[in-house]
Amino acid sequence: MKILGIESSCDETGVAIYDGNTHSILSESLYSQVGLHTKFGGVVPELASRDHVLRLLPLIRKTLDLSSLKESSIDGIAYTAGPGLRGSLLVGAALSKSLSMAWKVPSIGINHMEAHLLVNLLEEEAPKFPFLTLLISGGHCLLIKANKVGSYEVLGQTLDDAVGESFDKVARLLKLPYPGGPQIEELAHLGDPKAIKFPRPMTNDKQLDFSFSGLKTAVFYTLKKEKNITAAFKANLAASFQEAVAETLLIKCKWAIEATRLDHLVIGGGVAANSYIRNRLIKGLSGSKIFFPPMSRCTDNGSMIAYAGYLRLELGESELQKIIVRPKWDLSEI
Ligand code: KG4
Ligand code: ZN
């Protein structure tokens, strides 16, 4: 079974083809809208959806050509149905339903966070169910117990800002361009992570929820108080903020491992591309087996949607030709 996957929930247009026979991605293409949104300092939803309209069909053609496949070889279509930006989701959903009718194959709407979680199963060394997952993206921060495909327990989540969101907001305070995560990571290379002691939010008692907005506020006041904002000070601030995030995530992961006695932990979502956080978690959780997707599959991509779609269609799931998207879609409601 060959599944075409379409990701259009935010500012990346991703397309890929997954082949169930070889358990591999045959081809994948990605168009990032970063250049479009940078001058606004963040994603402009209306511009994002219009750009998905322009990019999707050429990207699907390119992805088919890359694998030398014809449309008739595709057995099903998977698209992101939520969570995400309503207009952007609708573009992917409407196109998928149209292609599904034209090609006479089933289509299926996928939960974007479930796809971030499942993408790790594509790797040669894959986690075994049940396993823990830490999803750290621009919109979410979730600790999940994954029992099997389609069965997830949310153990903890952020009460306010997501991890990626806090990186983006701190980057904005430092006048760095969007998206801020990679910019902060680069700047932090030049700084000392111990220079400024920022709070490790919600680590006083052993609960698994997160809160990152206070940390961002602490960065704001540190910056405001400083009379001499030099390049070295900015680098120290970025490194210390990144360390505060890494240590907070590490503490919560340790507690989740302790509470569930699961020793396979999958890290996913855009912030999982941060090498400092990766290394901090690998070193700090040396008694457990930690799984990361390859860098290109940490951030949004079509491969994770194609693979999640395959798993769901294989389970016999189908849906009506009604277009439904869910800008807010809790993983526990699947
Ligand atoms: O998973 P993703 O591509 O989109 C969502 O589903 O939100 O994650 C995007 C987020 C952005 O906030 C971006 O700043 C952050 O991931 N990000 C990073 C890094 N690369 C991307 N944050 C920290 N360090 C990075 N290297
Ligand atoms: Zn994502």
Side-chain angles (χ1 to χ4, degrees):
M1 190 152 64
K2 294 184 183 66
I3 306 297
L4 178 75
I6 295 177
E7 157 60 30
S8 71
S9 65
C10 192
D11 58 348
E12 323 270 4
T13 319
V15 177
I17 299 168
Y18 171 79
D19 182 4
N21 293 333
T22 55
H23 182 49
S24 63
I25 297 294
L26 299 182
S27 54
E28 56 189 323
S29 318
L30 187 78
Y31 180 83
S32 170
Q33 299 180 355
V34 165
L36 183 67
H37 301 290
T38 299
K39 58 180 172 291
F40 302 102
V43 179
V44 183
E46 185 59 28
L47 292 182
S49 52
R50 288 184 199 190
D51 206 55
H52 288 304
V53 173
L54 291 179
R55 308 291 167 193
L56 262 175
L57 275 176
L59 221 52
I60 291 172
R61 167 58 53 215
K62 180 179 162 193
T63 312
L64 284 165
D65 289 348
L66 282 173
S67 57
S68 309
L69 287 176
K70 297 221 169 352
E71 295 93 271
S72 55
S73 312
I74 300 297
D75 303 296
I77 301 168
Y79 61 93
T80 306
L85 302 172
R86 187 181 296 274
S88 296
L89 292 169
L90 279 169
V91 174
L95 180 63
S96 301
K97 296 285 180 190
S98 312
L99 290 178
S100 138
M101 277 185 246
W103 296 351
K104 297 187 178 49
V105 295
S107 66
I108 188 128
I110 295 297
N111 179 296
H112 180 86
M113 301 316 289
E114 182 185 28
H116 268 305
L117 182 155
L118 292 173
V119 76
N120 287 274
L121 302 181
L122 275 175
E123 297 307 301
E124 214 165 295
E125 220 190 327
K128 302 254 182 305
F129 284 112
F131 56 80
L132 275 172
T133 307
L134 173 70
L135 288 182
I136 37 180
S137 71
H140 293 84
C141 177
L142 291 163
L143 252 172
I144 296 158
K145 181 174 176 230
N147 296 314
K148 59 180 182 174
V149 176
S151 168
Y152 311 105
E153 284 167 57
V154 176
L155 306 175
Q157 57 188 311
T158 182
L159 305 180
D160 39 57
D161 292 355
V163 186
E165 188 181 353
S166 71
F167 267 90
D168 295 338
K169 286 180 175 169
V170 166
R172 214 181 298 174
L173 292 175
L174 289 170
K175 300 198 169 45
L176 296 169
Y178 177 85
Q183 303 281 339
I184 294 274
E185 183 178 5
E186 206 181 317
L187 182 59
H189 280 306
L190 309 169
D192 173 7
K194 294 199 182 87
I196 307 164
K197 184 78 183 165
F198 286 124
R200 275 54 171 158
M202 294 181 77
T203 53
N204 289 334
D205 54 2
K206 287 198 172 182
Q207 59 150 314
L208 298 177
D209 283 332
F210 303 83
S211 163
F212 290 101
S213 92
L215 178 55
K216 167 204 66 197
T217 309
V219 173
F220 172 77
Y221 283 113
T222 306
L223 203 55
K224 206 172 160 194
K225 263 197 284 176
E226 179 64 33
K227 302 243 159 34
N228 184 23
I229 300 179
T230 58
F233 174 76
K234 284 185 179 177
N236 282 342
L237 188 120
S240 303
F241 161 74
Q242 185 174 254
E243 165 59 19
V245 171
E247 196 177 18
T248 305
L249 296 174
L250 175 61
I251 293 170
K252 301 281 176 172
C253 286
K254 272 188 184 158
W255 289 345
I257 290 166
E258 231 176 81
T260 59
R261 293 170 189 273
L262 295 174
D263 66 346
H264 278 195
L265 172 67
V266 163
I267 321 278
V271 185
N274 183 298
S275 302
Y276 184 85
I277 292 179
R278 277 181 179 238
N279 291 334
R280 203 70 176 67
L281 291 174
I282 290 169
K283 277 198 198 123
L285 302 168
S286 53
S288 307
K289 187 122 188 57
I290 316 290
F291 300 83
F292 288 94
M295 291 293 189
S296 64
R297 292 189 188 146
C298 286
T299 42
D300 295 347
N301 62 87
S303 299
M304 66 184 198
I305 305 300
Y307 181 52
Y310 167 80
L311 292 173
R312 291 213 157 251
L313 288 170
E314 209 199 13
L315 284 173
E317 288 184 30
S318 60
E319 62 179 25
L320 301 171
Q321 290 298 22
K322 229 165 138 184
I323 297 175
I324 303 170
V325 295
R326 300 177 64 173
K328 292 201 167 116
W329 190 6
D330 202 292
L331 200 56
S332 57
E333 289 169 12
I334 286 181

